[in-house]
């Protein structure tokens, strides 16, 4: 009796799933991504909280240098989340802008050309291109800014990285410092502790991250409006 009821429910589920149109299934899939409606506001609020936390520690906090290194890592995480959410909001768009971005990524990035799909895969997932592009992006490490920049360039022709030489070199060094903080508790490969990560350093990094986030947000909004 139990098995019969389970089978009936399974049949009902499968019937209902495939009764829906591809557009309905795509909408359901995108809704399930649970992307924030305004990633930039989330980014701004999170970045503000970083300095709220630092201010509450006070200038005479015994482990301020340790805290600053932890806050640097958190700032990278905040930007990475923003860059991921904003890129996903483009490629998961169900209108022409999203279709165009997905096509461009699949035809211009070598990593997408490695994917092989069978006719069975296509038959089982009517939105296979949408789902596979989203899956590939979710697998990326968004602190690899140079690779993320290629995604944005190929998807919507946006250059997300700073172009001023001073900013470029500062960002490259900051990326290495993040690696030191995450993998060696703040020490370089030579065993030297990064001692220059202080409030001034974090403020400059925050300013650069904000410029990048606003550039990306403006570019995404423009791309989504271009239908």
């Amino acid at each position: 009796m139990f098995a019969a009821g389970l089978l009936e429910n399974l049949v009902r589920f499968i019937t209902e799933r495939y009764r829906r149109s591809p557009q309905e299934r795509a909408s359901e899939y995108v809704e399930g991504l649970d992307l924030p409606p305004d990633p930039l506001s989330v980014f701004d609020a999170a970045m503000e909280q970083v300095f709220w936390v630092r201010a509450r520690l006070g200038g005479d906090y015994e482990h301020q240098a340790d805290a600053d290194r932890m806050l640097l890592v958190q700032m990278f995480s905040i930007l990475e989340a923003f860059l991921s959410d904003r890129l996903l909001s483009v490629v998961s768009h169900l209108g022409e802008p999203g279709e165009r971005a997905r096509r461009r990524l699949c035809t211009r990035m070598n990593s997408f050309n490695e994917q092989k799909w069978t006719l069975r895969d296509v038959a089982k997932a009517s939105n296979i291109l949408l789902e596979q592009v989203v899956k590939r992006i979710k697998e990326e490490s968004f602190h690899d800014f140079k690779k993320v920049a290629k995604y944005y360039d190929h998807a919507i022709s946006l250059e997300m990285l700073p172009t001023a030489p001073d900013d470029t070199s500062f960002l490259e060094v900051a990326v290495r410092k993040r690696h030191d903080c995450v993998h060696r508790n703040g020490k370089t490969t030579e065993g030297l502790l990064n001692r220059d990560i202080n409030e001034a350093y974090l403020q400059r990094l925050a300013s650069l991250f904000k410029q990048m986030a606003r550039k990306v947000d403006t570019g995404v909004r423009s791309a989504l409006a271009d239908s």
Side-chain angles (χ1 to χ4, degrees):
M1 193 69 180
F2 173 77
L6 184 63
L7 178 60
E8 182 180 350
N9 289 336
L10 180 60
V11 170
R12 186 181 299 113
F13 170 79
I14 294 174
T15 303
E16 179 61 28
R17 174 177 174 80
Y18 287 96
R19 180 183 300 164
R20 289 170 295 171
S21 68
Q23 291 77 14
E24 290 173 323
R25 293 200 293 272
S27 295
E28 184 178 273
Y29 175 79
V30 172
E31 184 178 346
L33 296 176
D34 195 26
L35 298 174
D38 186 4
L40 184 61
S41 66
V42 176
F43 167 87
D44 284 338
M47 199 64 71
E48 182 179 337
Q49 288 175 352
V50 166
F51 291 97
W52 182 91
V53 169
R54 193 184 190 283
R56 292 304 180 276
L57 294 176
D60 57 350
Y61 178 57
E62 180 181 2
H63 301 287
Q64 186 65 64
D66 297 326
D68 285 341
R69 287 190 289 272
M70 293 174 67
L71 292 174
L72 177 138
V73 173
Q74 179 63 15
M75 289 169 63
F76 269 89
S77 296
I78 292 169
L79 180 60
E80 291 167 32
F82 167 81
L83 293 174
S84 174
D85 287 343
R86 222 48 188 116
L87 184 58
L88 286 172
S89 72
V90 175
V91 301
S92 66
H93 189 276
L94 297 181
E96 172 58 28
E99 292 180 9
R100 181 167 57 242
R102 294 192 291 274
R103 287 197 304 268
R104 287 171 57 125
L105 284 177
C106 289
T107 56
R108 300 184 183 190
M109 292 197 72
N110 292 333
S111 59
F112 281 91
N113 293 329
E114 300 168 358
Q115 183 69 50
K116 304 296 183 183
W117 297 322
T118 66
L119 290 177
R120 179 180 296 177
D121 294 329
V122 175
K124 289 169 61 179
S126 57
N127 299 297
I128 190 169
L129 185 59
L130 165 65
E131 295 178 14
Q132 290 298 318
V133 169
V134 168
K135 179 176 181 289
R136 177 59 61 89
I137 289 174
K138 283 189 167 187
E139 293 172 348
E140 290 295 348
S141 296
F142 273 75
H143 61 264
D144 185 347
F145 291 149
K146 289 183 179 180
K147 189 169 186 179
V148 175
K150 290 181 181 179
Y151 271 96
Y152 276 102
D153 179 33
H154 292 317
I156 59 174
S157 300
L158 173 69
E159 174 54 66
M160 60 160 266
L161 294 175
T163 55
D166 287 349
D167 289 340
T168 299
S169 60
F170 180 83
L171 182 61
E172 290 176 351
V173 172
V175 169
R176 292 198 294 271
K177 289 182 183 295
R178 173 211 168 271
H179 189 85
D180 292 340
C181 293
V182 170
H183 298 282
R184 288 184 292 272
N185 197 28
K187 293 182 179 180
T188 66
T189 53
E190 293 77 24
L192 301 175
L193 188 65
N194 281 279
R195 298 185 181 278
D196 59 343
I197 301 174
N198 50 32
E199 182 176 13
Y201 191 95
L202 295 179
Q203 288 285 2
R204 182 177 179 186
L205 185 63
S207 176
L208 187 57
F209 280 3
K210 289 177 182 177
Q211 291 175 32
M212 293 170 62
R214 276 155 178 73
K215 188 175 184 180
V216 167
D217 192 70
T218 299
V220 168
R221 290 181 184 275
S222 177
L224 293 180
D226 184 16
S227 58

